Amino acid sequence: MKTTSTHLLKGLLLSALLGSNVALASVQVAGTRFVYPTAEREITVGLTNSGSQPALVQTWLDKGDPASTPGAQKLPFVIVPPLMRIEPGKGQTLRIAYIGGDVPKDRESVYWLNVLEVPPKSASAPGQNVMQIAFRSRLKLFLRPSDLPGSPEKAAEQVTWEVVHAAQGYVLRAHNKARYNISFSEVALNAGGQRYANIDGGMVGPSGTFDFPLKGLSSNVASGEVDSRWISDYGNANAQRYSLGQ
């Protein structure tokens, strides 16, 4: 399967260089993030082909490297089926099973689910240049051990913030005291009558830190308020305000 996957990916990259007509993605994933409780036997992910042609879809997991290819990393999961054909207007269920392994039991781990839609063979006339693009979605998969202290709904309340000087200048550093990953879609610091915003967002790991560069921040700040929006298990954005240093 690894050899087939490698050839498939190379072929897709080459086909993307051949012309000018571009197809749009037709396979939709039912969800933006997924939680796998370790006590569950498996979880399912729904895929739907909203296009007018059959779609070939390849799926795999990685530990966070966007350049990782199918089968390149040893992970504690099995995905069935790893390669599927979805007829137009139809759906397919992807099954993900946790098979155990050397993973932390006292905190949540994060993996990435890759869903690659292979473009259909072009029906253009012979000799006509056509660009075929493979669309790939990367979605977070959280492996959540049973009986973790606290709850994911309250985890964002355990984050504290400080301004520190880093290699890229002054940044807003988040300290996550919870055992869950916390994803922020928006972060901004209000201090001294100014608002300094981060435009990228980011995720703070369990008992970890993450630096948010702030536009326009060029000196240390000791007091202020942090406005944020964190993403729940269901993909909803929730507002949370903090006092800097608390």
Side-chain angles (χ1 to χ4, degrees):
M1 181 63 192
K2 183 175 180 180
T3 302
T4 301
S5 300
T6 302
H7 290 167
L8 176 59
L9 290 174
K10 288 181 178 179
L12 293 174
L13 291 174
L14 289 174
S15 67
L17 303 175
L18 297 179
S20 57
N21 296 332
V22 180
L24 298 178
S26 58
V27 174
Q28 300 175 349
V29 184
T32 59
R33 60 193 55 232
F34 305 95
V35 176
Y36 196 125
T38 54
E40 296 294 325
R41 181 177 178 181
E42 66 178 31
I43 65 170
T44 59
V45 177
L47 306 178
T48 303
N49 181 5
S50 60
S52 59
Q53 300 184 64
L56 184 63
V57 177
Q58 187 174 24
T59 61
W60 70 96
L61 290 164
D62 68 67
K63 295 180 180 178
D65 180 7
S68 179
T69 56
Q73 298 178 342
K74 184 178 180 180
L75 301 175
F77 298 97
V78 172
I79 298 183
V80 179
L83 190 66
M84 69 189 79
R85 173 188 169 103
I86 308 178
E87 299 298 327
K90 302 294 184 180
Q92 177 71 281
T93 298
L94 185 67
R95 296 165 51 205
I96 303 176
Y98 172 60
I99 58 176
D102 185 17
V103 298
K105 303 297 190 297
D106 62 343
R107 65 189 63 195
E108 195 176 64
S109 301
V110 62
Y111 300 87
W112 293 82
L113 172 63
N114 297 269
V115 179
L116 176 70
E117 178 184 348
V118 181
K121 184 177 181 180
S122 173
S124 302
Q128 180 179 352
N129 289 336
V130 176
M131 176 178 283
Q132 292 183 291
I133 297 179
F135 291 89
R136 183 178 66 159
S137 299
R138 296 185 77 242
L139 308 147
K140 292 176 183 175
L141 172 67
F142 299 103
L143 181 63
R144 185 171 294 168
S146 303
D147 303 321
L148 284 182
S151 70
E153 294 80 12
K154 299 292 185 179
E157 298 176 3
Q158 299 186 51
V159 176
T160 60
W161 304 81
E162 65 173 335
V163 173
V164 300
H165 190 267
Q168 64 269 47
Y170 286 93
V171 299
L172 185 62
R173 177 168 294 172
H175 296 263
N176 179 11
K177 299 178 182 179
R179 303 298 179 89
Y180 302 86
N181 292 278
I182 306 174
S183 298
F184 291 96
S185 59
E186 299 177 25
V187 172
L189 171 64
N190 301 301
Q194 299 291 323
R195 184 176 177 86
Y196 307 95
N198 172 272
I199 60 175
D200 298 321
M203 185 176 69
V204 194
S207 303
T209 63
F210 188 88
D211 290 348
F212 294 85
L214 299 179
K215 186 177 181 180
L217 184 63
S218 58
S219 61
N220 200 1
V221 175
S223 63
E225 291 184 326
V226 177
D227 288 330
S228 73
R229 295 182 72 85
W230 59 273
I231 308 301
S232 72
D233 286 350
Y234 307 100
N236 300 320
N238 301 273
Q240 186 84 31
R241 173 168 285 188
Y242 306 86
S243 293
L244 192 65
Q246 298 181 6

